[in-house]
């Protein structure tokens, strides 16, 4: 049975931890889906990881749609969620509904994610939910606000922690089905997770969230840099580079391909 937003809420009630990984192409999406991840996220981190930009700001809605369509072809069981990129939802409620609607209509995704918890975003989440679109919230370190906030940990003072809790509660009341908590103190994430009925998905937010998300390039050790809170479960960068070096050596030394058998 395919994973749905409602199922994620049930997982929280059952105490079953939720797994989320990012994907930007068909091949990795298919591997993740077959490995049993609960949610495949076409995150706008693909701007940096896949497209080579310095931040997530330049990626466009068209580019997100392009990647999400490829990922969709690989995902059969997991819930597919797609990020609304910078300036595809902040301008007006109608812009947000049109952008999110395009994602759901054109990619077959089961939900959209957007960043922020300030009042205007709460209204946007409520409008999307009322239009019938499942929404995953994202607060704490929000990379689309990098120019204002940098990549610093958020919620580090008691007042800022209280503010995050208030934003999380407002997102739940607006109808979000889950919330990503990025790079905030463990105790703030634990309090938010305990107060909400919807699941929290942590990244750099400690062990007490209801689920965890990683950028897949970090998990696989493919990135040339990864944040301190990401764990590499493999060192594929070294493996891939070694394979390419072996190939180049074999060709240059005439070791590959071998001669075809006669006849
Ligand atoms: O864009 C992304 O990959 C994300 C995750 C890190 C949550 O938003």
């Amino acid at each position: 049975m395919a994973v749905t937003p409602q199922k994620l809420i049930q997982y929280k009630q059952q105490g079953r931890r939720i797994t989320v990984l990012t994907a930007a192409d068909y091949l990795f999406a298919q591997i993740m889906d077959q490995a049993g991840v609960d949610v495949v996220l076409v995150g706008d981190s693909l701007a940096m990881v896949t497209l080579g930009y310095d931040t997530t700001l330049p990626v466009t809605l068209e580019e997100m749609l392009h990647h999400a369509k490829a990922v969709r072809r690989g995902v059969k069981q997991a819930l597919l969620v797609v990020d609304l990129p910078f300036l595809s939802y902040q301008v007006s409620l109608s812009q947000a509904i049109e952008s999110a609607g395009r994602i759901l209509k054109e990619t077959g995704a089961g939900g959209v994610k957007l960043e922020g918890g300030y009042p205007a975003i709460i209204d946007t989440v409520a409008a999307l939910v009322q239009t019938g679109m499942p929404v995953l919230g994202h607060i704490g370190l929000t990379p689309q606000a990098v120019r204002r906030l940098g990549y610093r940990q958020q919620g580090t003072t008691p007042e800022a922690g209280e503010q995050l809790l208030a934003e999380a509660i407002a997102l739940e009341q607006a109808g979000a089905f889950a919330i990503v908590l990025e790079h905030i103190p463990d105790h703030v994430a634990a309090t938010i997770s305990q107060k909400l009925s919807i699941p929290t998905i942590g990244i750099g937010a400690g062990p007490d969230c209801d689920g965890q998300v990683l950028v897949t390039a970090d998990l696989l050790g493919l990135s040339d840099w990864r944040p301190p809170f990401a764990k590499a479960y493999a060192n594929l960068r070294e493996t891939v580079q070694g394979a390419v070096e072996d190939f180049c050596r074999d060709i240059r030394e005439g070791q590959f391909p071998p001669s075809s058998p006669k006849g």
Side-chain angles (χ1 to χ4, degrees):
M1 277 260 286
V3 180
T4 59
Q6 295 70 27
K7 224 177 215 180
L8 297 182
I9 295 170
Q10 279 169 20
Y11 288 167
K12 172 165 177 142
Q13 289 159 357
Q14 295 159 359
R16 179 194 187 288
R17 295 271 168 104
I18 297 163
T19 54
V20 184
L21 286 174
T22 64
D25 65 24
Y26 165 76
L27 184 62
F28 277 103
Q30 187 191 45
I31 295 170
M32 270 172 236
D33 192 61
Q34 291 178 356
V37 74
D38 297 312
V39 180
V40 173
L41 171 68
V42 183
D44 63 356
S45 59
L46 72 80
M48 300 164 82
V49 174
T50 308
L51 302 179
Y53 291 118
D54 288 339
T55 70
T56 61
L57 303 187
V59 72
T60 64
L61 181 60
E62 296 305 324
E63 287 168 327
M64 293 301 292
L65 289 165
H66 171 82
H67 286 279
K69 286 177 197 173
V71 169
R72 166 80 283 167
R73 292 178 208 116
V75 172
K76 305 283 181 245
Q77 292 301 319
L79 175 66
L80 175 63
V81 177
V82 180
D83 261 352
L84 281 160
F86 182 59
L87 277 199
S88 71
Y89 61 98
Q90 292 97 335
V91 177
S92 65
L93 287 184
S94 58
Q95 186 212 29
I97 292 171
E98 274 181 29
S99 300
R102 281 196 67 193
I103 288 176
L104 295 198
K105 279 169 81 111
E106 295 177 32
T107 74
V112 293
K113 176 165 83 59
L114 48 74
E115 293 184 7
Y118 48 94
I121 291 298
I122 303 297
D123 289 347
T124 303
V125 171
L128 296 183
V129 171
Q130 279 156 28
T131 314
M133 305 195 233
V135 177
L136 174 59
H138 180 162
I139 58 173
L141 192 168
T142 47
Q144 292 179 15
V146 62
R147 296 279 186 252
R148 189 166 62 85
L149 301 173
Y151 290 119
R152 281 189 304 278
Q153 189 182 44
Q154 300 295 306
T156 49
T157 63
E159 300 73 35
E162 283 298 320
Q163 174 66 25
L164 282 175
L165 175 60
E167 289 179 354
I169 291 171
L171 282 169
E172 171 166 330
Q173 285 171 350
F177 68 83
I179 303 178
V180 170
L181 303 178
E182 180 163 355
H183 204 13
I184 65 174
D186 294 8
H187 70 276
V188 176
T191 305
I192 294 175
S193 304
Q194 198 224 320
K195 299 255 183 209
L196 297 189
S197 316
I198 57 172
T200 57
I201 311 294
I203 174 162
D208 296 318
C209 297
D210 303 300
Q212 296 290 329
V213 54
L214 280 181
V215 172
T216 297
D218 294 339
L219 166 102
L220 296 177
L222 277 168
S223 330
D224 54 2
W225 174 89
R226 66 175 174 274
F229 47 76
K231 175 172 171 184
Y233 284 80
N235 188 355
L236 287 199
R237 192 178 181 89
E238 205 174 285
T239 306
V240 171
Q241 191 169 328
V244 173
E245 285 167 3
D246 288 352
F247 169 76
C248 292
R249 194 200 50 239
D250 275 5
I251 303 310
R252 289 174 189 140
E253 293 177 0
Q255 301 293 326
F256 179 83
S259 310
S260 313
K262 295 234 162 44

